[in-house]
Amino acid sequence: MADLFKNSGKDAWAALHHAIVDRLGGSQELRGLLIQPLQVAERADWDTPNRLLNMYREQRIANQVPTWNAIYIPNAGINVPGEYHAFLDQLNSKVIADAGVADPKKLERLDLERKAAQDKLQKNEFFVNHQWDRYVANNRGKPPLTRSQWEVDFGYAAAKFGYQQEVNAAVANYLREVNTAGGDLLEVGRAIGAFTDPRQRIPLPQDEDDAMLPSDNWQYWYRGGLGDSIESFLATNSPSTITLEETSTRTTRFQERWSGSVNVSYFGVFGAGGGASNETIKTHAETDTSMISIHFANIQSFPVERGQWFMAGLISRFRDRMPQGFWGQSGRLNLIPTSVILVRGVKIVVNTSSTVTDYFFSKRTAGGSAGFQIGPWRVGGGGSRTTIEESYEMRRTATGFELEDMSGRAQIIAVASIRNADLLASQVENTSLFRSLSSADESEGMRLLEASRRCPLNLPAEFGVR
């Protein structure tokens, strides 16, 4: 039998990765563009009749920064607007320092005022959203006041208006100054102006319950979505097949390009939920399986489109002006989604032993927390946006078994992202910053850290109180 599925399944994932790239029209990824297969395929759930709910669900993946790993997993709490904002702030400080203007201190002061105003607005918005969520929960999901009326009655609307006006004034004052300076300062200043434009964010419902409420109850989100129509994709057939077997071509550097950051626990082609015997059957599946053939009714890459708040050309032009660590594993804006790859009409044919087939069939019919996984496809065991058990038919064959998705819906199988570290004129080491320390440096750093924690700072006397 094949060795492709052994060794934590990394070779099989590398073969799947190569096949996805190949189906999208290229024998290898372009420099700086990385495709990350999903660890568990998800429903492309922006196919509902509600256009605004679909827009929220599209921007949720379009503006989500992935983790620094060969497999796509969303980086919790990190999004493109927030990281792009950090890029603009740091770049602006850099161009002020490099511009050679007559009064750099004035520019620095105006820039600090701009940052402070934006920070207050963002913190206020976070606080108000939290308070609104509590208000809705306390009223069991049926608040007596609309969001807009609640904001007025509790004074939040006036405060938000004041903070927004403060941002507008601070950015306007800064732009008036950089307009005279021109050059890089003006270009970056205009980008800051575009990012702070409140029209670049729109209110969207986050779920079906939200969608039942008036739009003034919804939170605001930066514009972002996918360029092509999912309705057209669902109605079009363009059959394709990916075969994973011993002779399959693997993506070169599938793991190496991520250096020491690859987490092998993300790999593994076969998985089964339930009892302790599952590790045994996984070993059997890796040993007894000779081929997995994956058929699609359609596969397509959907480009990510963002509003005028985001300027890719600005990143390209000033990429090498930023500190290299900004783009690295521990940096900011290190992966920027540029397209989402969808598949439809998945049928998976597995050539394996009767022992493995019988076990997976038992998992298919057990229900509850049982179930199994083949590559990025999870069958059984519950789930919400994941590829869910009730949509599949499972059939025995003369050489194993096959699964077929009968839902008619699309699934996300991979996300393509820009990795700016690969596009720098001078390459940055793709490892965590702390890993670059020698053992002596690390030991000294830990000693200083411990010493700083023992230092009696923040006593009243430190504030001038005697």
Side-chain angles (χ1 to χ4, degrees):
M1 294 294 180
D3 290 333
L4 178 70
F5 306 109
K6 298 179 182 179
N7 302 319
S8 301
K10 289 181 286 187
D11 284 346
W13 279 98
L16 176 64
H17 180 277
H18 179 274
I20 292 172
V21 174
D22 185 66
R23 294 307 178 277
L24 298 176
S27 59
Q28 59 184 6
E29 296 162 308
L30 299 174
R31 177 171 169 265
L33 181 68
L34 295 165
I35 292 179
Q36 296 170 292
L38 267 66
Q39 183 186 28
V40 179
E42 294 184 1
R43 291 288 186 213
D45 57 0
W46 51 90
D47 56 356
T48 75
N50 190 312
R51 182 179 64 87
L52 294 174
L53 180 57
N54 292 343
M55 290 174 65
Y56 167 76
R57 290 173 169 174
E58 284 189 18
Q59 71 81 34
R60 181 184 58 198
I61 190 167
N63 283 339
Q64 180 71 62
V65 175
T67 55
W68 189 272
N69 199 283
I71 300 297
Y72 174 88
I73 296 175
N75 199 338
I78 306 297
N79 56 54
V80 173
E83 301 307 283
Y84 179 69
H85 186 187
F87 164 74
L88 289 179
D89 279 350
Q90 194 159 343
L91 175 62
N92 201 49
S93 297
K94 175 67 174 172
V95 295
I96 289 174
D98 294 347
V101 293
D103 192 356
K105 294 295 183 183
K106 181 178 181 181
L107 272 177
E108 290 171 1
R109 176 179 58 79
L110 291 173
D111 189 40
L112 286 173
E113 290 175 358
R114 174 192 66 80
K115 292 176 183 176
Q118 287 182 258
D119 186 57
K120 286 192 288 186
L121 177 65
Q122 289 173 345
K123 288 179 178 177
N124 176 72
E125 182 175 307
F126 179 83
F127 172 75
V128 174
N129 284 338
H130 179 68
Q131 294 299 103
W132 170 252
D133 289 341
R134 290 182 58 185
Y135 177 70
V136 172
N138 290 338
N139 287 278
R140 300 184 178 182
K142 297 181 180 180
L145 297 175
T146 65
R147 171 74 181 252
S148 58
Q149 189 61 52
W150 171 82
E151 287 189 0
V152 170
D153 288 2
F154 284 81
Y156 296 130
K160 182 168 67 175
F161 178 78
Y163 286 130
Q164 184 62 62
Q165 290 296 96
E166 190 174 340
V167 168
N168 291 343
V171 174
N173 286 338
Y174 183 76
L175 279 174
R176 190 173 70 170
E177 194 69 22
V178 299
N179 188 60
T180 301
D184 292 348
L185 280 169
L186 179 57
E187 185 173 356
V188 178
R190 285 172 174 168
I192 291 171
F195 182 80
T196 59
D197 185 347
R199 292 169 296 184
Q200 289 303 307
R201 300 199 302 160
I202 56 176
L204 296 172
Q206 298 181 59
D207 52 37
E208 288 81 359
D209 293 334
D210 251 7
M212 300 295 291
L213 299 173
S215 61
D216 57 7
N217 292 279
W218 304 338
Q219 292 186 27
Y220 281 75
W221 306 89
Y222 277 93
R223 296 174 183 270
L226 303 181
D228 292 334
S229 164
I230 193 171
E231 290 80 9
S232 176
F233 174 76
L234 293 173
T236 303
N237 285 328
S238 182
S240 181
T241 299
I242 290 175
T243 301
L244 305 180
E245 57 187 349
E246 196 61 34
T247 58
S248 297
T249 304
R250 281 81 148 164
T251 294
T252 58
R253 301 187 304 110
F254 180 59
Q255 302 156 54
E256 289 81 355
R257 78 183 72 184
W258 301 95
S259 299
S261 61
V262 171
N263 189 331
V264 296
S265 66
Y266 292 157
F267 298 99
V269 177
F270 301 100
S277 63
N278 297 319
E279 287 303 315
T280 301
I281 199 64
K282 282 171 60 179
T283 302
H284 271 295
E286 291 173 357
T287 303
D288 298 355
T289 302
S290 60
M291 183 190 73
I292 298 176
S293 185
I294 309 162
H295 307 272
F296 306 120
N298 204 356
I299 179 171
Q300 181 183 323
S301 176
F302 285 66
V304 169
E305 295 181 348
R306 299 186 176 91
Q308 294 176 355
W309 61 269
F310 184 83
M311 298 184 181
L314 194 76
I315 296 174
S316 177
R317 178 178 172 188
F318 292 101
R319 183 185 296 117
D320 288 294
R321 298 274 290 275
M322 301 293 288
Q324 285 193 337
F326 187 90
W327 306 114
Q329 179 182 347
S330 302
R332 309 291 298 267
L333 203 61
N334 49 22
L335 290 170
I336 309 172
T338 187
S339 64
V340 178
I341 294 90
L342 302 188
V343 295
R344 180 179 66 79
V346 177
K347 184 169 78 170
I348 306 167
V349 179
V350 183
N351 287 3
T352 191
S353 66
S354 59
T355 300
V356 175
T357 298
D358 291 344
Y359 189 88
F360 280 178
F361 257 84
S362 71
K363 286 294 180 182
R364 178 67 180 92
T365 56
S369 62
F372 60 88
Q373 184 169 338
I374 300 175
W377 287 279
R378 179 176 293 167
V379 181
S384 54
R385 290 184 292 136
T386 59
T387 46
I388 305 173
E389 69 280 9
E390 66 269 15
S391 301
Y392 282 87
E393 285 188 1
M394 187 171 184
R395 299 179 285 267
R396 294 178 187 270
T397 66
T399 55
F401 64 93
E402 64 183 26
L403 295 159
E404 185 171 3
D405 178 20
M406 308 301 293
S407 69
R409 301 180 71 185
Q411 301 166 6
I412 310 167
I413 191 177
V415 173
S417 298
I418 298 296
R419 189 165 77 168
N420 281 288
D422 298 339
L423 297 170
L424 293 171
S426 176
Q427 293 295 295
V428 61
E429 180 67 23
N430 294 330
T431 57
S432 295
L433 297 181
F434 72 88
R435 288 177 178 159
S436 64
L437 295 176
S438 68
S439 58
D441 289 338
E442 185 174 357
S443 177
E444 175 65 7
M446 295 304 293
R447 185 189 68 77
L448 293 172
L449 175 62
E450 184 62 25
S452 71
R453 287 171 173 168
R454 295 175 183 269
C455 187
L457 297 175
N458 298 325
L459 296 176
E462 300 295 330
F463 294 93
V465 178
R466 305 295 180 185

